[in-house]
Amino acid sequence: MVAPRVYEALSQPVVGHLDPFFFEISDQVRRLIGHVYSTENDFNLAISGTGSAGMEAAVSNFAEPGRKFALLTNGFFADRIGEMARRQGAEVVRLAKPWGEPFDPQEAREFIRRERPRVAAFVQAETSTGMFNQAKAICEAAREVDALTIADCVTSLGAMPVLVDDNGIDVAYSCTQKGLSCPPGLAPMTVSPRALERLKARPAPPPSWYLDLLLLDTYYVGRKYHHTASATLLYALREGLALAAEEGLENRWERHRRNHLAFVAGIEAMGLRMHVPEGHRLWTLNTPRVPEGVSDALARQYLLEKRGIEIAGGFGPLAGKVFRIGLMGHGSTGKNVLLVLEGLESALRDQGYEPAGDGRAAAEKALAVSA
Ligand SMILES: Cc1ncc(COP(=O)(O)O)c(C=O)c1O
C-alpha cells in the first residue's frame, strides 16, 4: 500500500534529470538510503528499475566470468540471482535447501570455506516462502575467504532489521514497493568500500552499460548525464524514506513484528499452521499453510471479490500449499491484521472449513498485550 504522503509527493512538478533540484533530492535520497540500510557506506543510490534491476546491478557488477559465485538458495528469488550470475558467465555453486527451510549457520560457513568463491549471494527476505535468512554466518565466512556478499533485501528494507554494517553485507539491494510503501520503479542499493575497491579493480567493465555502478556514480555524484532518471519516482522514494526515518527504524521494525505476531496468533487460533518455523519468519510476508480440502485459488478469489483484499498464493513447490499475505510498510496495521483474518475465516467457511477457534479474538488479544 502506498502511503498518503507518497501519493502527494507523486503529484509534484517534474524537473529535468540534470536540474539542481533533482540532485538536491537525489542527495537526500542517497543519505536516507544509507540510514534505512543502517550503514555508513557512502555509495548509496536508487537504480532506475524495479527490484530485479537492483538484483541485476548487484550481479552484473560483482559476478566475474569464469569465477566462482556461491549461491545460498531456499526459494524462488535466490534462484533468479543464480540465473543472472550464470548469464554473466560466472561459475555458480549452490547450497540449496527446500523452499522455506533455514540454512544451518555452520553448514553455510563450511560451504563458503570449502568453495572459496569471489562472491556469496543470498536472499535475506525470501518472498516466495516467507523466510528470513540470517546474514551473519554467511558474511563472516565470506570475509574469511575474501569473498564479497550480496544480499537481496527486497522484502526486508524499511520493515525488518537489514543491518548492513552489523552483518557485514557488502552489496544490498531492494525495491520501493514493499516496506517503503512507494510505487514500484526504483531499486535502493548500497555498496561497501571493500566492494567498491573490487569493482574498480575489475579487469573489464561489467557487461551491463545501463547498470554499471561506476558510470551511475558519474551521474548522481559527478552530475553528468547518464540516463533520464524519473524525478517523480525520486520524490516518492524521498518521502517513503523520510516516513521511515521519522517513525524511527526500531519503532517501524517493532510495529511490523507486533502485527505479524498478532496475525500468527489469529492463524493458529483458527487451527492453521505457518509454513516457516518460528524464529525464521518474515514480519512482512506471512505464509500460513492452506488447510486440507481448501482451494487457495477459490479463497483468494473470495477475498478479492467479497472483501476487496488481495493476497497471493504459493508457487513452484508451494503452489496450492500456502497463502502469501503481505502486511508491510503503510499496510502493516492492527486493523489490517483483523480485516484479513476475518476475511480469511469467511473464505474458509465458504469452502466448508470449520476454524478451530476465533482468529480475530486471538489477534485482538495479542495486539492488546503488546500495545
Ligand atoms: C525477494 C525478492 N527479490 C527480488 C524481487 C524482484 O523485484 P521486482 O519484482 O520489483 O523486480 C522480488 C519481487 O517480489 C522479491 O520478492
Side-chain angles (χ1 to χ4, degrees):
M1 293 173 76
V2 172
R5 257 175 59 184
V6 173
Y7 275 124
E8 274 175 40
L10 283 164
S11 68
Q12 296 310 301
V14 175
V15 296
H17 57 288
L18 295 171
D19 193 288
F21 184 67
F22 175 93
F23 288 118
E24 214 177 280
I25 300 295
S26 93
D27 284 349
Q28 287 176 22
V29 164
R30 290 183 327 115
R31 264 197 310 279
L32 286 163
I33 288 176
H35 176 69
V36 78
Y37 272 117
S38 309
T39 179
E40 297 295 318
N41 291 345
D42 281 332
F43 198 104
N44 307 316
L45 81 171
I47 301 277
S48 293
T50 64
S52 302
M55 186 189 284
E56 195 123 48
V59 174
S60 70
N61 281 271
F62 297 101
E64 292 171 63
R67 307 294 297 266
K68 265 192 193 173
F69 185 103
L71 183 71
L72 295 99
T73 173
N74 54 3
F76 174 82
F77 289 103
D79 286 341
R80 182 180 288 183
I81 300 178
E83 174 59 17
M84 287 183 182
R86 242 183 312 276
R87 289 181 185 210
Q88 300 291 334
E91 183 198 339
V92 179
V93 289
R94 288 157 48 96
L95 176 64
K97 291 272 169 201
W99 284 29
E101 218 175 86
F103 298 107
D104 167 43
Q106 194 49 30
E107 193 184 4
R109 273 199 183 91
E110 282 163 13
F111 166 66
I112 291 169
R113 285 178 186 146
R114 186 174 64 243
E115 295 292 349
R116 305 188 71 79
R118 287 286 277 174
V119 179
F122 65 99
V123 176
Q124 186 180 52
E126 183 50 86
T127 326
S128 59
T129 62
M131 167 155 282
F132 189 84
N133 287 312
Q134 294 294 343
K136 200 84 180 182
I138 299 170
C139 295
E140 280 174 1
R143 269 170 201 251
E144 280 174 32
V145 300
D146 198 27
L148 297 178
T149 44
I150 295 178
D152 178 316
C153 306
V154 163
T155 306
S156 46
L157 189 70
M160 294 188 72
V162 171
L163 302 178
V164 159
D165 285 0
D166 278 5
N167 280 317
I169 296 167
D170 289 298
V171 182
Y173 61 84
S174 186
C175 70
T176 43
Q177 74 270 20
K178 291 196 165 71
L180 296 173
S181 284
C182 295
L186 293 175
M189 191 166 176
T190 186
V191 178
S192 72
R194 198 166 89 94
L196 215 50
E197 263 174 49
R198 173 83 69 85
L199 187 53
K200 287 178 180 159
R202 259 187 89 111
S208 169
W209 178 90
Y210 190 67
L211 298 172
D212 180 329
L213 290 172
L214 296 179
L215 279 186
L216 286 168
D217 203 43
T218 64
Y219 177 26
Y220 290 109
V221 177
R223 270 67 169 140
K224 283 208 205 83
Y225 168 70
H226 174 269
H227 68 287
T228 311
S230 162
T232 307
L233 288 179
L234 219 52
Y235 300 155
L237 177 55
R238 198 210 72 92
E239 210 57 34
L241 290 166
L243 279 167
E246 284 167 27
E247 182 174 358
L249 290 181
E250 276 87 4
N251 296 338
R252 201 167 167 98
W253 300 335
E254 179 53 24
R255 169 163 65 82
H256 282 82
R257 193 183 74 90
R258 198 175 58 231
N259 292 329
H260 157 75
L261 291 178
F263 176 82
V264 173
I267 283 294
E268 289 178 344
M270 284 160 63
L272 274 63
R273 285 187 306 115
M274 296 295 287
H275 176 64
V276 173
E278 196 177 349
H280 299 276
R281 295 174 188 152
L282 296 181
W283 304 336
T284 42
L285 193 281
N286 302 278
T287 46
R289 290 191 65 87
V290 178
E292 204 67 39
V294 167
S295 149
D296 84 298
L298 286 178
R300 287 188 287 118
Q301 188 183 353
Y302 178 99
L303 274 172
L304 191 60
E305 287 175 2
K306 301 259 193 311
R307 302 295 171 106
I309 297 173
E310 187 180 13
I311 66 166
F315 57 97
L318 296 181
K321 296 193 176 141
V322 298
F323 296 113
R324 295 186 308 128
I325 303 181
L327 287 161
M328 55 183 90
H330 186 66
S332 171
T333 63
K335 194 172 154 213
N336 282 348
V337 168
L338 302 181
L339 267 178
V340 74
L341 284 171
E342 226 173 39
L344 192 60
E345 188 177 329
S346 298
L348 295 178
R349 279 190 203 282
D350 189 56
Q351 291 188 44
Y353 177 86
E354 193 54 42
D358 186 342
R360 185 192 160 103
E364 264 178 335
K365 197 166 148 206
L367 288 168
V369 169
S370 64

